[in-house]
Amino acid sequence: MEFISAKEVAKKIKNNSVVATGGFVGIGVAEEILTEIENYYLENKRPTNLTLIYAAGQGDGKDKGLNHLAHEGMVSKVIGGHWGLAPKLGTLALENKIQGYNLPQGVISHMFRDIASGKKGTISKIGIGTFVDPQLQGGKVNEVTTEEIVKDISIEGERYLYFKAPSKIDFAILRGTLSDEDGNISLEKEALTLESLALAMATRNSGGKIAVQVEKKVKNGSINPKLVGIPSIFVDYVVVCSDAKYHHQTFGTEYDETFVNSSILVNDLKKKSALDERKIIARRCAMFLSKDDKILNYGIGMPEGIAEVLKDGNQEHLFTPTVEPGAIGGTPVGGLSFGASVTPQAIIDQPYQFDFYDGGGLDVAFLGLAQCDSSGDINVSKFGPKIAGCGGFINISQNAKKVVFCGTFTAGGLEIEIKDDQIKIITEGKNKKFIKKVEQITFSSKTANLNNQPVYYVTERAVFKLSKDGLELIEIAPGIDLEKDVLKNMEFKPIISPELKLMDKRIFEDDFKLKL
């Protein structure tokens, strides 16, 4: 084990290597190492022809994280769970300059564990019926990607997907907080532990090298063994970060102790937000919760409002939110700190969180609604010339006991007025979300129906449910004209429930609270 600089790490990566990175948005991202790999390539045109594999999206949507590796010639293939935060990689894929795959985040996190134990790949039902299914796109993101790495298999008469793993991992890039003199790595200031241990094991058992960026070097014996997240037997190189700007806890904050400490009392004096379309949606979504629904997942964006609604009604403590990279309890954070939670009850490794999700542990998942079609399929992963990627969406949505998709009815300039407990559309959004056929299937209504999964779709003016025959309209908001405000803004006519009713008027009350 050696202590070396980030520049020296860049020199250690050989051409044609399979490189794996850890991180979630900005949490756990070894930003200094990635920066120096980019600098070394620009100066020396090395390393080249890399295969990059990672589970969660790592970047700020601009220049940080995996964007540093987005150079034609440096990378030739990418296998990733989420692409949206590294748009420079996405551009290379869209221009057919690299091969690319988008696989579910949970599948890749499990794949690292499988590689560590000597398996050839990962077997899962996750992705059946979606674009990951080999009967559809098989996870391929462009025309130059031709190898089928997702295959159909049958086990005791049941259909599964087999995800072929890379034959080895040559180099892993990880991050921790402290390293002792032997290279034992602690993670106590990291907002998540992610798949750091699994990835380090996978690389070691592949005969590869592991580099870890840390904040500080300490003496042997000064790290409690229970705080060691990556033991020294899995570490080849340690980089003590040369500048704190490369080692922020997240890409949204330098350091927030509440992300790693549940004993801190947080005084949230924020005023209740005004009643608008987002709050209407959040309140209606929350009404799908029952006293038996205890464990939740909130997607990023619109679903975050549900936690606020529960907090407004002093009912947040009745439910336990979870976030796919490993946080349990507390209050999930959004933006560039997404993945972290304020005063979490626990933080577990990402592969274990996905074990729980894949096994049906979630009671309710609240997820975003970008595109929906007449069958009830949802797309959140690809929009025209943009590869967003599925992230953990497929793992979460496929196996939760109940799924609620939420978003405004149209997008792009929507403006509404709420008066006398009624909604009036002032300016309609330019873009329709309910279209004839989604561009890509990220959520499969067929799979949901086969699993008898309850699925709902909530907007500010209409609520739908998934029926065996497709999307069924079950509620409209007071003040909304069915023909003018709903049907004319859809590219298809949904099934209209014979019991179509108005949304509950309690949604518009100042002191909204769930009846549990």
Side-chain angles (χ1 to χ4, degrees):
M1 198 284 299
E2 300 177 70
F3 284 87
I4 63 176
S5 69
K7 289 181 180 179
E8 290 175 288
V9 170
K11 298 175 184 177
K12 300 285 186 182
I13 302 174
K14 298 176 182 178
N15 296 341
N16 308 308
S17 292
V18 176
V19 176
T21 62
F24 186 96
V25 190
I27 299 168
V29 174
E31 181 67 8
E32 183 170 12
I33 293 177
L34 294 174
T35 300
E36 291 301 338
I37 293 173
E38 178 179 36
N39 291 340
Y40 186 72
Y41 177 79
L42 293 174
E43 293 169 7
N44 302 280
K45 297 304 175 187
R46 292 182 48 231
T48 61
N49 198 37
L50 302 178
T51 293
L52 173 64
I53 181 169
Y54 61 92
Q58 298 158 36
D60 61 349
K62 298 175 182 177
D63 304 307
K64 294 181 178 180
L66 297 179
N67 290 290
H68 291 298
L69 307 184
H71 293 281
E72 186 179 0
M74 182 197 288
V75 173
S76 61
K77 182 192 293 185
V78 174
I79 303 169
H82 191 274
W83 289 65
L85 292 166
K88 293 182 179 181
L89 282 176
T91 298
L92 290 178
L94 287 167
E95 293 175 353
N96 283 307
K97 292 178 177 178
I98 60 172
Q99 297 176 57
Y101 298 88
N102 179 207
L103 304 182
Q105 183 177 320
V107 167
I108 299 177
S109 72
H110 287 158
M111 186 179 287
F112 292 141
R113 211 164 54 183
D114 289 335
I115 294 170
S117 62
K119 298 182 179 72
K120 296 292 185 181
T122 299
I123 296 171
S124 177
K125 286 192 172 185
I126 300 301
I128 290 177
T130 73
F131 74 92
V132 175
D133 194 317
Q135 295 181 11
L136 297 174
Q137 290 92 33
K140 299 184 292 293
V141 303
N142 59 16
E143 293 79 13
V144 298
T145 306
T146 57
E147 182 187 358
E148 301 290 347
I149 66 170
V150 187
K151 298 178 181 180
D152 267 318
I153 63 170
S154 178
I155 301 176
E156 296 186 355
E158 287 191 52
R159 185 181 179 223
Y160 286 80
L161 300 183
Y162 170 73
F163 297 85
K164 179 183 176 183
S167 59
K168 60 178 179 175
I169 297 175
D170 297 300
F171 211 96
I173 300 168
L174 301 169
R175 196 181 93 168
T177 303
L178 303 177
S179 172
D180 69 15
E181 295 161 304
D182 287 338
N184 291 296
I185 309 296
S186 75
L187 305 173
E188 69 257 40
K189 285 188 177 181
E190 308 307 309
L192 297 164
T193 58
L194 300 170
E195 65 281 355
S196 302
L197 181 58
L199 181 46
M201 282 186 181
T203 308
R204 170 59 72 245
N205 284 350
S206 295
K209 301 293 185 180
I210 301 99
V212 186
Q213 176 181 310
V214 299
E215 180 182 302
K216 188 178 178 182
K217 178 182 177 182
V218 297
K219 291 182 178 180
N220 284 343
S222 59
I223 300 175
N224 184 316
K226 289 185 177 180
L227 293 180
V228 173
I230 310 172
S232 62
I233 60 172
F234 305 129
V235 178
D236 295 285
Y237 311 112
V238 175
V239 174
V240 178
C241 192
S242 66
D243 190 323
K245 71 179 182 181
Y246 294 120
H247 208 84
H248 289 177
Q249 191 180 34
T250 77
F251 283 153
T253 185
E254 290 185 30
Y255 180 70
D256 187 332
E257 192 176 352
T258 65
F259 293 173
V260 294
N261 190 334
S262 60
S263 66
I264 297 174
L265 293 176
V266 178
N267 293 318
D268 190 353
L269 301 177
K270 187 172 69 173
K271 292 182 180 179
K272 289 184 180 181
S273 60
L275 185 64
D276 58 8
E277 62 271 21
R278 296 179 70 89
K279 181 163 271 192
I280 288 171
I281 292 168
R283 285 179 169 182
R284 182 60 191 91
C285 285
M287 291 175 73
F288 282 113
L289 291 169
S290 73
K291 59 180 172 49
D292 297 321
D293 297 322
K294 300 298 183 185
I295 305 170
L296 315 179
N297 174 278
Y298 302 123
I300 195 168
M302 189 70 71
E304 295 171 22
I306 296 149
E308 182 182 345
V309 164
L310 295 176
K311 184 180 288 187
D312 288 347
N314 294 317
Q315 294 177 303
E316 191 180 28
H317 65 284
L318 300 175
F319 307 93
T320 301
T322 64
V323 191
E324 60 267 27
I328 296 173
T331 303
V333 184
L336 289 177
S337 293
F338 179 59
S341 288
V342 174
T343 62
Q345 297 172 17
I347 297 171
I348 65 175
D349 286 0
Q350 180 167 239
Y352 290 117
Q353 189 83 300
F354 279 114
D355 285 336
F356 180 65
Y357 285 7
D358 292 355
L362 278 175
D363 292 318
V364 187
F366 296 101
L367 298 167
L369 188 164
Q371 284 182 350
C372 180
D373 63 22
S374 60
S375 66
D377 290 341
I378 292 283
N379 169 38
V380 298
S381 49
K382 190 176 188 302
F383 307 98
K386 181 183 177 184
I387 304 171
C390 58
F393 189 95
I394 299 175
N395 297 86
I396 297 165
S397 63
Q398 187 171 315
N399 289 302
K401 294 182 182 74
K402 185 191 303 177
V403 182
V404 183
F405 296 108
C406 49
T408 55
F409 194 77
T410 58
L414 173 66
E415 183 183 349
I416 72 168
E417 180 183 69
I418 303 165
K419 189 176 181 181
D420 299 327
D421 295 345
Q422 293 191 334
I423 295 177
K424 180 180 180 182
I425 308 300
I426 304 299
T427 305
E428 190 59 80
K430 297 174 185 176
N431 305 314
K432 292 180 180 178
K433 290 188 175 183
F434 292 87
I435 60 178
K436 290 180 181 178
K437 189 64 182 172
V438 293
E439 291 180 56
Q440 190 172 75
I441 300 174
T442 329
F443 170 80
S444 170
S445 58
K446 181 179 178 180
T447 300
N449 272 326
L450 287 172
N451 294 334
N452 295 311
Q453 183 183 40
V455 182
Y456 300 93
Y457 310 76
V458 177
T459 75
E460 79 287 348
R461 71 186 78 172
V463 179
F464 303 85
K465 74 174 182 180
L466 180 63
S467 74
K468 296 296 182 182
D469 298 313
L471 203 67
E472 181 178 344
L473 178 64
I474 58 173
E475 296 177 18
I476 60 173
I480 290 297
D481 182 277
L482 175 60
E483 184 66 32
K484 178 173 70 76
D485 297 326
V486 178
L487 300 181
K488 282 192 174 181
N489 289 291
M490 303 176 73
E491 291 185 1
F492 61 90
K493 186 173 181 180
I495 300 164
I496 298 177
S497 171
E499 299 174 359
L500 179 67
K501 62 182 181 181
L502 291 178
M503 290 163 66
D504 196 315
K505 65 179 182 179
R506 290 188 296 124
I507 293 171
F508 301 93
E509 295 174 357
D510 289 338
D511 57 348
F512 175 84
K513 194 170 186 177
L514 295 182
K515 292 181 178 179
L516 297 171

mmCIF file of all heavy atoms in Angstrom, residues 24-41:
data_model
loop_
_atom_site.group_PDB
_atom_site.id
_atom_site.type_symbol
_atom_site.label_atom_id
_atom_site.label_comp_id
_atom_site.label_asym_id
_atom_site.label_seq_id
_atom_site.Cartn_x
_atom_site.Cartn_y
_atom_site.Cartn_z
ATOM 1 N N PHE A 24 -22.423 8.781 -5.459
ATOM 2 C CA PHE A 24 -23.847 9.022 -5.700
ATOM 3 C C PHE A 24 -24.029 10.522 -5.788
ATOM 4 O O PHE A 24 -23.885 11.233 -4.786
ATOM 5 C CB PHE A 24 -24.695 8.439 -4.562
ATOM 6 C CG PHE A 24 -26.180 8.514 -4.808
ATOM 7 C CD1 PHE A 24 -26.853 7.424 -5.329
ATOM 8 C CD2 PHE A 24 -26.893 9.662 -4.529
ATOM 9 C CE1 PHE A 24 -28.224 7.480 -5.561
ATOM 10 C CE2 PHE A 24 -28.254 9.744 -4.760
ATOM 11 C CZ PHE A 24 -28.928 8.643 -5.284
ATOM 12 N N VAL A 25 -24.291 11.045 -6.959
ATOM 13 C CA VAL A 25 -24.287 12.486 -7.256
ATOM 14 C C VAL A 25 -22.888 13.009 -6.913
ATOM 15 O O VAL A 25 -21.964 12.823 -7.694
ATOM 16 C CB VAL A 25 -25.409 13.253 -6.535
ATOM 17 C CG1 VAL A 25 -25.503 14.689 -7.065
ATOM 18 C CG2 VAL A 25 -26.760 12.556 -6.727
ATOM 19 N N GLY A 26 -22.699 13.622 -5.735
ATOM 20 C CA GLY A 26 -21.366 14.051 -5.341
ATOM 21 C C GLY A 26 -20.864 13.344 -4.094
ATOM 22 O O GLY A 26 -19.700 13.482 -3.714
ATOM 23 N N ILE A 27 -21.741 12.561 -3.468
ATOM 24 C CA ILE A 27 -21.362 11.838 -2.254
ATOM 25 C C ILE A 27 -20.425 10.691 -2.617
ATOM 26 O O ILE A 27 -20.720 9.889 -3.505
ATOM 27 C CB ILE A 27 -22.609 11.289 -1.536
ATOM 28 C CG1 ILE A 27 -23.546 12.439 -1.120
ATOM 29 C CG2 ILE A 27 -22.218 10.469 -0.318
ATOM 30 C CD1 ILE A 27 -24.920 11.989 -0.670
ATOM 31 N N GLY A 28 -19.286 10.627 -1.942
ATOM 32 C CA GLY A 28 -18.368 9.522 -2.184
ATOM 33 C C GLY A 28 -17.597 9.609 -3.486
ATOM 34 O O GLY A 28 -16.932 8.645 -3.877
ATOM 35 N N VAL A 29 -17.656 10.739 -4.161
ATOM 36 C CA VAL A 29 -16.944 10.901 -5.434
ATOM 37 C C VAL A 29 -15.527 11.406 -5.164
ATOM 38 O O VAL A 29 -15.334 12.414 -4.479
ATOM 39 C CB VAL A 29 -17.686 11.888 -6.364
ATOM 40 C CG1 VAL A 29 -16.861 12.163 -7.617
ATOM 41 C CG2 VAL A 29 -19.057 11.327 -6.742
ATOM 42 N N ALA A 30 -14.543 10.702 -5.712
ATOM 43 C CA ALA A 30 -13.133 11.091 -5.547
ATOM 44 C C ALA A 30 -12.792 12.168 -6.580
ATOM 45 O O ALA A 30 -12.128 11.912 -7.593
ATOM 46 C CB ALA A 30 -12.235 9.877 -5.696
ATOM 47 N N GLU A 31 -13.230 13.373 -6.315
ATOM 48 C CA GLU A 31 -13.170 14.444 -7.309
ATOM 49 C C GLU A 31 -11.745 14.817 -7.697
ATOM 50 O O GLU A 31 -11.471 15.105 -8.873
ATOM 51 C CB GLU A 31 -13.928 15.674 -6.774
ATOM 52 C CG GLU A 31 -13.966 16.872 -7.722
ATOM 53 C CD GLU A 31 -14.783 16.635 -8.984
ATOM 54 O OE1 GLU A 31 -15.470 15.596 -9.086
ATOM 55 O OE2 GLU A 31 -14.727 17.490 -9.889
ATOM 56 N N GLU A 32 -10.810 14.812 -6.747
ATOM 57 C CA GLU A 32 -9.443 15.181 -7.104
ATOM 58 C C GLU A 32 -8.815 14.135 -8.025
ATOM 59 O O GLU A 32 -8.143 14.478 -9.005
ATOM 60 C CB GLU A 32 -8.572 15.368 -5.863
ATOM 61 C CG GLU A 32 -7.154 15.826 -6.225
ATOM 62 C CD GLU A 32 -6.323 16.257 -5.033
ATOM 63 O OE1 GLU A 32 -6.728 16.012 -3.884
ATOM 64 O OE2 GLU A 32 -5.251 16.854 -5.270
ATOM 65 N N ILE A 33 -9.031 12.872 -7.731
ATOM 66 C CA ILE A 33 -8.476 11.821 -8.588
ATOM 67 C C ILE A 33 -9.055 11.920 -9.992
ATOM 68 O O ILE A 33 -8.322 11.847 -10.994
ATOM 69 C CB ILE A 33 -8.748 10.429 -7.983
ATOM 70 C CG1 ILE A 33 -7.967 10.252 -6.673
ATOM 71 C CG2 ILE A 33 -8.363 9.326 -8.975
ATOM 72 C CD1 ILE A 33 -8.235 8.925 -5.967
ATOM 73 N N LEU A 34 -10.369 12.088 -10.100
ATOM 74 C CA LEU A 34 -10.998 12.194 -11.421
ATOM 75 C C LEU A 34 -10.494 13.412 -12.185
ATOM 76 O O LEU A 34 -10.264 13.352 -13.401
ATOM 77 C CB LEU A 34 -12.516 12.246 -11.273
ATOM 78 C CG LEU A 34 -13.186 10.985 -10.718
ATOM 79 C CD1 LEU A 34 -14.666 11.220 -10.495
ATOM 80 C CD2 LEU A 34 -12.963 9.792 -11.636
ATOM 81 N N THR A 35 -10.288 14.513 -11.466
ATOM 82 C CA THR A 35 -9.762 15.732 -12.105
ATOM 83 C C THR A 35 -8.373 15.485 -12.668
ATOM 84 O O THR A 35 -8.056 15.897 -13.803
ATOM 85 C CB THR A 35 -9.724 16.889 -11.090
ATOM 86 O OG1 THR A 35 -11.050 17.153 -10.611
ATOM 87 C CG2 THR A 35 -9.160 18.160 -11.715
ATOM 88 N N GLU A 36 -7.538 14.812 -11.902
ATOM 89 C CA GLU A 36 -6.159 14.579 -12.346
ATOM 90 C C GLU A 36 -6.075 13.531 -13.457
ATOM 91 O O GLU A 36 -5.176 13.590 -14.311
ATOM 92 C CB GLU A 36 -5.279 14.173 -11.169
ATOM 93 C CG GLU A 36 -5.036 15.304 -10.177
ATOM 94 C CD GLU A 36 -4.367 16.522 -10.805
ATOM 95 O OE1 GLU A 36 -3.719 16.384 -11.870
ATOM 96 O OE2 GLU A 36 -4.516 17.622 -10.255
ATOM 97 N N ILE A 37 -7.002 12.590 -13.492
ATOM 98 C CA ILE A 37 -7.050 11.650 -14.617
ATOM 99 C C ILE A 37 -7.354 12.416 -15.904
ATOM 100 O O ILE A 37 -6.732 12.172 -16.956
ATOM 101 C CB ILE A 37 -8.104 10.551 -14.368
ATOM 102 C CG1 ILE A 37 -7.669 9.656 -13.211
ATOM 103 C CG2 ILE A 37 -8.319 9.718 -15.633
ATOM 104 C CD1 ILE A 37 -8.728 8.654 -12.776
ATOM 105 N N GLU A 38 -8.302 13.344 -15.808
ATOM 106 C CA GLU A 38 -8.623 14.171 -16.976
ATOM 107 C C GLU A 38 -7.416 15.003 -17.411
ATOM 108 O O GLU A 38 -7.070 15.058 -18.605
ATOM 109 C CB GLU A 38 -9.807 15.087 -16.666
ATOM 110 C CG GLU A 38 -10.176 16.013 -17.829
ATOM 111 C CD GLU A 38 -11.365 16.895 -17.524
ATOM 112 O OE1 GLU A 38 -11.506 17.336 -16.356
ATOM 113 O OE2 GLU A 38 -12.153 17.164 -18.452
ATOM 114 N N ASN A 39 -6.755 15.655 -16.456
ATOM 115 C CA ASN A 39 -5.598 16.495 -16.790
ATOM 116 C C ASN A 39 -4.490 15.681 -17.435
ATOM 117 O O ASN A 39 -3.853 16.110 -18.413
ATOM 118 C CB ASN A 39 -5.069 17.187 -15.525
ATOM 119 C CG ASN A 39 -6.025 18.241 -14.994
ATOM 120 O OD1 ASN A 39 -6.898 18.728 -15.724
ATOM 121 N ND2 ASN A 39 -5.883 18.590 -13.726
ATOM 122 N N TYR A 40 -4.259 14.488 -16.898
ATOM 123 C CA TYR A 40 -3.194 13.633 -17.436
ATOM 124 C C TYR A 40 -3.524 13.199 -18.864
ATOM 125 O O TYR A 40 -2.640 13.158 -19.734
ATOM 126 C CB TYR A 40 -3.015 12.408 -16.538
ATOM 127 C CG TYR A 40 -1.840 11.541 -16.919
ATOM 128 C CD1 TYR A 40 -0.528 11.967 -16.694
ATOM 129 C CD2 TYR A 40 -2.028 10.291 -17.502
ATOM 130 C CE1 TYR A 40 0.559 11.177 -17.040
ATOM 131 C CE2 TYR A 40 -0.952 9.490 -17.856
ATOM 132 C CZ TYR A 40 0.341 9.938 -17.617
ATOM 133 O OH TYR A 40 1.412 9.157 -17.978
ATOM 134 N N TYR A 41 -4.795 12.909 -19.107
ATOM 135 C CA TYR A 41 -5.188 12.512 -20.468
ATOM 136 C C TYR A 41 -5.021 13.670 -21.446
ATOM 137 O O TYR A 41 -4.515 13.487 -22.566
ATOM 138 C CB TYR A 41 -6.642 12.030 -20.494
ATOM 139 C CG TYR A 41 -7.091 11.677 -21.898
ATOM 140 C CD1 TYR A 41 -6.732 10.461 -22.473
ATOM 141 C CD2 TYR A 41 -7.832 12.575 -22.662
ATOM 142 C CE1 TYR A 41 -7.106 10.139 -23.765
ATOM 143 C CE2 TYR A 41 -8.212 12.272 -23.958
ATOM 144 C CZ TYR A 41 -7.836 11.056 -24.506
ATOM 145 O OH TYR A 41 -8.197 10.763 -25.803
#
